[in-house]
Amino acid sequence: MLGLKLATDPRWVNIVESNIEEILTDHAWCEQKAATNAITIITLNSEHTDLVTELLELAKEELEHFQMVHDIIKKRGYTLGRERKDSYVNELYKFMNKGGNRVQSMVDRLLFSAMIEARSCERFKLLSKRIKDPELSKFYHELMISEAGHYTTFLKFARQYGQDVDVDKRWKELIEFEAKVIQNYGKSETIHG
C-alpha cells in the first residue's frame, strides 16, 4: 500500500529498545512537527476549504499524538528532551521543487508530507510487531493506522489540486529519491533515524 522501495531492517527495533527514552522524545517532536506542517499547508492554501477542514483535523490529531507520547514519557519517569533535528526529513526536503509555480509547490509539499507519513507508518508497524514492550506495541499499532490515514489524505489532496502536474510521475520520483535517502538511516533510536 505505501509503495516504499526499501523496507526498514527489523534490527532497527533492537536499536530502539536500547534507548526507549530517546525514541519517545524523538517521536514526540515528530508529532509536533507534523502538526506544524499541516498548519503550514493550510496557511499557504487557505482558499481550499476542504483541504483546510481536513488538515485542521489532522493537525489536532498530530497534537493529540504529541500529548499521548508526552504522557508515556511522564508515566515512565522520563523527561521530554530538547527538539531533535530530523536529518531524514531535511534530506527529503531537498527533493521539493523550490522554483515552480504555486500549484507545483503545493503538490510537492503534499507529496513530501505523504512520504513522511508513509515512512512513519512503516516504522510504527515494525515497532508494533517487534518491540518487546506490550504497551508500546499496542500504542504503535494504533498510531500506524492513523499515519496510514494521513498518508492517504495528503496523496488525495495532491491529486485533487494538482490538475496541471503529473502527480503520479512526481510521486514515483519521490519514492525513488526516498529509497536512496533511507539507505543511510535505520541506525539510531529515532523514528526516521
Side-chain angles (χ1 to χ4, degrees), residues 65-79:
H65 294 168
F66 185 23
Q67 182 174 359
M68 291 164 69
V69 179
H70 187 241
D71 288 345
I72 292 171
I73 289 169
K74 291 187 302 183
K75 183 173 118 183
R76 292 180 178 221
Y78 302 147
T79 303

Side-chain angles (χ1 to χ4, degrees), residues 58-171:
L58 191 148
K60 284 193 271 186
E61 193 172 304
E62 298 288 19
L63 279 177
E64 288 170 11
H65 294 168
F66 185 23
Q67 182 174 359
M68 291 164 69
V69 179
H70 187 241
D71 288 345
I72 292 171
I73 289 169
K74 291 187 302 183
K75 183 173 118 183
R76 292 180 178 221
Y78 302 147
T79 303
L80 176 64
R82 303 290 298 169
E83 180 185 1
R84 274 60 167 164
K85 286 188 176 189
D86 192 327
S87 298
Y88 165 81
V89 170
N90 291 336
E91 287 287 321
L92 272 190
Y93 189 77
K94 293 175 183 174
F95 178 81
M96 289 176 52
N97 187 341
K98 315 293 186 295
N101 65 38
R102 195 160 176 264
V103 171
Q104 289 169 323
S105 294
M106 177 173 70
V107 166
D108 269 15
R109 184 67 178 241
L110 290 165
L111 294 179
F112 164 81
S113 303
M115 181 57 70
I116 295 167
E117 297 289 345
R119 183 55 69 184
S120 297
C121 181
E122 187 254 359
R123 292 278 171 103
F124 291 167
K125 181 178 181 181
L126 191 57
L127 285 170
S128 74
K129 290 185 171 199
R130 293 186 155 278
I131 200 163
K132 293 177 185 83
D133 184 310
E135 178 189 25
L136 292 181
S137 174
K138 183 176 185 290
F139 178 64
Y140 282 113
H141 178 75
E142 291 166 5
L143 288 188
M144 172 196 69
I145 294 165
S146 177
E147 299 297 301
H150 297 170
Y151 156 81
T152 57
T153 295
F154 287 122
L155 276 182
K156 174 187 81 172
F157 283 122
R159 290 184 174 121
Q160 180 178 331
Y161 289 111
Q163 308 92 344
D164 299 330
V165 178
D166 188 341
V167 175
D168 290 332
K169 178 179 181 247
R170 191 74 178 138
W171 178 240

Side-chain angles (χ1 to χ4, degrees), residues 5-37:
K5 290 274 186 191
L6 187 62
T8 299
D9 185 329
R11 292 175 293 184
W12 169 74
V13 176
N14 301 333
I15 297 167
V16 166
E17 289 178 317
S18 73
N19 193 347
I20 296 294
E21 184 173 9
E22 179 62 26
I23 190 76
L24 290 173
T25 289
D26 181 72
H27 180 190
W29 289 115
C30 286
E31 298 293 354
Q32 177 273 324
K33 290 172 194 165
T36 300
N37 180 59

